[in-house]
Amino acid sequence: MPEIEIGAFGLERHGFRALKAVNWNLAVPELYEESLRRNEGKLAKDGPLVVLTGRHTGRSASDKFTVRDAASECQVWWDNNKAMSPAQFDQLEADMMAHARGRELFVKDLFGGADLTHRISVRVITEFAWHSLFVHQLLIRPTPDQLKDFDPEFTIIDLPSFSAVPLKHGCVSQTVIAVNFTKKVILIAGTSYAGEMKKSVFTIMNYLLPPKRVMSMHCSANVGPDGRSAIFFGLSGTGKTTLSADKSRTLVGDDEHGWSENGVFNIEGGCYAKVIKLSREAEPEIFSTTERFGTVLENVVMDEATRHLDLDDARHAENTRAAYPIDFIPNASSTGRAGHPRNVIMLTADAFGILPPIARLTPSQAMYHFLSGFTAKVAGTEKGLGKEPQPTFSTCFGAPFMPRHPSEYGNLLRDLIAAHDSDCWLVNTGWTGGAFGTGNRMPIRATRALLNAALDGSLANVEMRIDPHFKFRVPVAVPGVDGDILNPRNTWADKAAYDAQAANLVGMFRENFRKFEAYVGQDVLQAAPQFVEAAEFRRYEFTQGNAE
């Protein structure tokens, strides 16, 4: 057994009894050894640890519950969060403690939040050694001195081999993620997908930060030489990780951030990148992490004889992932902190082919689109999707992790944008020239050219037109970008088909936003899109001048 480091507080305080062994804060090589000894994973040719997550290859959103008690009753958005009673949680916790008896566990003491004013201490107790390695790489690692008197504010207990009983524990399946903000404990059972631990920390921050007037955000972030940062909101498949990885800018983080009085800060200390069909040529920095000791690869196919990886093979899952510390990226920030955002970017992959490649938003429009959280999924990305694109509205670009009402996050974002005079942009990385199946994916070269112009400030000074449907401002011409792409209707061969699709999309936005209408001001309500008939559209396009 490797030498272990005992923390200042033992596991008895968390309810554990009669454990076989406890491995405290093992180093990365030790966790490799334990994972391999226990046959939890295999070593690939260049050093990463390759693991399979079993039947759960992604998050189990339908199995997540929040304890409803006197403290959380008026704080949690219960329309979006499933309730569990305190008694059911206590029973689940007691049964998980009993299940752990005689087992060997792994403990990691870590931080969430690079802003020292707002960070939290988290103890993560896992059944699998590779889960301990995963969370070590994904969160912020304390120094040896900080570990000596580490006192966790929150505890996450992850026992994949425990099967919940719905009637007994108040859940819906053998899998459960139960959040108790009063006891400051999160229980995870019945799933080996490690991302549940990462998102549990994000859920905690989403609960704790807004009352302190600190914005918690599902976004990536980078910073320019001038110290002004940019944040990139976006759901899976919109290009959040790819577009924030810019050689000319320093990466602050790839997924979860806070915006405090001190600026932007990374909640994590690592990255969790999707690697299916990852290309060395297109994304060399992320690709190189798949060839590093210390990286955990989930559900990646590996040749058993040669130990070579096949990143194009999705036989285990479409959602293949690499977990690695952020310093594996050459231009990553060493502090995880940056100044207030100069630019706020909301990414969407519009598979209907209606939205322009970039549009400038007012603070009210930014709040509208932030609350909407629109993207579209296409066939092949998820089971059960048909041939037609399916709209997805995930409020705040992260509804599954938002315990509070979206208006709390939306109002806070709008206030911060106004206070720091940030420019806001909606960027469509989806389709142009028609919907999915007819049109083409937006050229990445055009997207990068438009983003670069936004980030260097030049795009804020070009001639703009007002989009008739969405009322946001769209550049008329940008050097190096095809002018037709900037006006989506021009790229459609069948203009009548565009008009019909535009009417459908406008209707989707308005229908989705009904649930927020009672919580926002008149300025945000006026930011809603409104369909304009074809004849009026043409007159509008012809008569309007410079929108500035």
Side-chain angles (χ1 to χ4, degrees), residues 534-546:
E536 187 180 351
F537 186 100
R538 289 191 293 272
R539 181 190 63 78
Y540 191 95
E541 293 272 276
F542 179 77
T543 58
Q544 73 166 312
N546 190 330

Side-chain angles (χ1 to χ4, degrees), residues 24 38 72 95 97 114 181 191-192 202 239 242 247 287 309 388 415 421 428 432 458 527:
W24 288 85
R38 296 154 61 98
S72 64
D95 289 346
M97 296 301 102
F181 289 118
T191 174
S192 298
F202 188 42
T242 299
K247 290 181 180 180
F287 189 95
L309 303 174
E388 298 299 318
D415 293 347
D421 195 26
N428 174 24
T432 182
S458 61

Side-chain angles (χ1 to χ4, degrees), residues 305-377:
T306 67
R307 299 302 173 101
H308 283 276
L309 303 174
D310 185 352
L311 299 181
D312 294 328
D313 195 329
R315 76 179 68 173
H316 300 314
E318 182 76 22
N319 186 35
T320 58
R321 296 271 179 171
Y324 50 89
I326 195 169
D327 59 20
F328 278 16
I329 301 296
N331 63 330
S333 167
S334 60
T335 65
R337 302 188 293 271
H340 296 288
R342 182 71 186 85
N343 289 278
V344 174
I345 295 153
M346 299 181 190
L347 300 170
T348 180
D350 173 23
F352 300 99
I354 300 301
L355 296 176
I358 197 166
R360 190 175 186 183
L361 308 176
T362 66
S364 298
Q365 290 169 340
M367 183 175 176
Y368 182 91
H369 286 278
F370 178 70
L371 290 177
S372 297
F374 168 73
T375 193
K377 297 178 181 179

Side-chain angles (χ1 to χ4, degrees), residues 52-58 60 63 163 173-175 189-192 316:
L52 297 177
T53 63
R55 63 191 182 95
H56 290 289
T57 59
S60 301
D63 293 308
S163 296
S173 76
Q174 293 181 333
T175 299
T191 174
S192 298
H316 300 314

Side-chain angles (χ1 to χ4, degrees), residues 233-235 238 346-348 366-376 391-399 426 509 512-513 516:
F233 291 100
L235 299 171
T238 59
M346 299 181 190
L347 300 170
T348 180
M367 183 175 176
Y368 182 91
H369 286 278
F370 178 70
L371 290 177
S372 297
F374 168 73
T375 193
T392 297
F393 292 93
S394 183
T395 186
C396 306
F397 296 97
L426 182 70
F509 267 90
N512 171 74
F513 205 80
F516 302 127

Side-chain angles (χ1 to χ4, degrees), residues 131-142:
H131 275 190
S132 195
L133 173 61
F134 172 95
V135 78
H136 173 87
Q137 304 295 49
L138 261 293
L139 294 182
I140 297 172
R141 297 159 287 280

